[in-house]
Amino acid sequence: MGSWAFRSEEALATLVLDRLGRVADRVLIGGLGMGFTLAAARSGLPASSAIVVAELVPQVVAWAQGPLAHIVGNSLSDPRVSVELRDVHDVIVEQPGGYDAILLDVDNGPDGLIHVSNERLYSAWGLRAARTALRVGGILAIWSAYPDDEFAERLREAGFAVEELVIDSGGHADDPPHVIWLSRRID
């Protein structure tokens, strides 16, 4: 986590909301991080929306309420926001048809680099579970520090229409760009 390059974390939310083209009643964000994706989602959603943040690491939430509060701002006190200290995969599988969008920034890419258990999110059955958790036309958005052609194909095989975007990180000039997959549930 870092606060110097957050453009792509904001884009994770803004690109989804732009493409939904309608009010999103319920959005799931996997990974609180420094709150950039959450802040962007809050600014683009109406007061009637609900935003669920699933964060696996309790210390990340403690940092957001303590030493990083100046970065996270008042996002966690927004009445639209609820935080679940749980694995986002568990939240996904419990809510069939429950979300208009699922935004995942839980690792460095579509693998379990930080937490091996995250690999289940990006496996064929994990992607099908995310598809099931979305309403028809909903979007699964995944942030990555690097491209992965095989992953984009896995998304298609799971029943998504996939758009892969390369986003400037907004960090230092020599920082590589990030990748966001926007995967729309099609039926």
Side-chain angles (χ1 to χ4, degrees):
M1 289 190 325
S3 63
W4 66 91
F6 55 86
R7 185 177 300 153
S8 62
E9 286 86 351
E10 290 175 335
L12 186 62
T14 58
L15 291 168
V16 167
L17 297 177
D18 288 348
R19 279 158 180 77
L20 282 175
R22 58 181 167 81
V23 174
D25 294 325
R26 199 150 187 254
V27 173
L28 172 61
I29 298 175
L32 174 60
M34 298 183 85
F36 298 118
T37 301
L38 175 57
R42 287 179 56 234
S43 68
L45 290 169
S48 60
S49 296
I51 305 167
V52 178
V53 178
E55 175 54 56
L56 184 62
V57 182
Q59 191 60 40
V60 171
V61 177
W63 291 337
Q65 296 168 327
L68 298 180
H70 66 287
I71 295 172
V72 177
N74 62 353
S75 289
L76 297 180
S77 63
D78 186 320
R80 298 174 295 176
V81 176
S82 62
V83 176
E84 295 196 25
L85 288 169
R86 305 175 52 206
D87 190 313
V88 68
H89 174 270
D90 297 339
V91 177
I92 288 170
V93 298
E94 293 172 0
Q95 296 291 321
Y99 298 101
D100 294 295
I102 299 172
L103 316 176
L104 298 179
D105 181 5
V106 296
D107 225 312
N108 283 343
D111 55 42
L113 181 67
I114 305 297
H115 293 284
V116 174
S117 64
N118 285 342
E119 288 187 20
R120 64 187 173 164
L121 289 168
Y122 311 116
S123 69
W125 62 268
L127 294 173
R128 286 191 303 271
R131 184 181 181 281
T132 299
L134 288 168
R135 296 176 179 139
V136 175
I139 297 175
L140 169 65
I142 299 173
W143 180 95
S144 179
Y146 51 85
D148 185 328
D149 294 336
E150 291 177 14
F151 180 65
E153 184 56 33
R154 208 162 46 241
L155 285 163
R156 287 182 192 90
E157 290 171 1
F160 290 103
V162 180
E163 182 180 2
E164 183 174 328
L165 301 167
V166 177
I167 307 292
D168 178 13
S169 70
H172 301 101
D174 58 346
D175 287 346
H178 297 153
V179 175
I180 295 176
W181 289 278
L182 300 175
S183 308
R184 187 178 295 269
R185 177 182 170 169
I186 52 175
D187 283 2

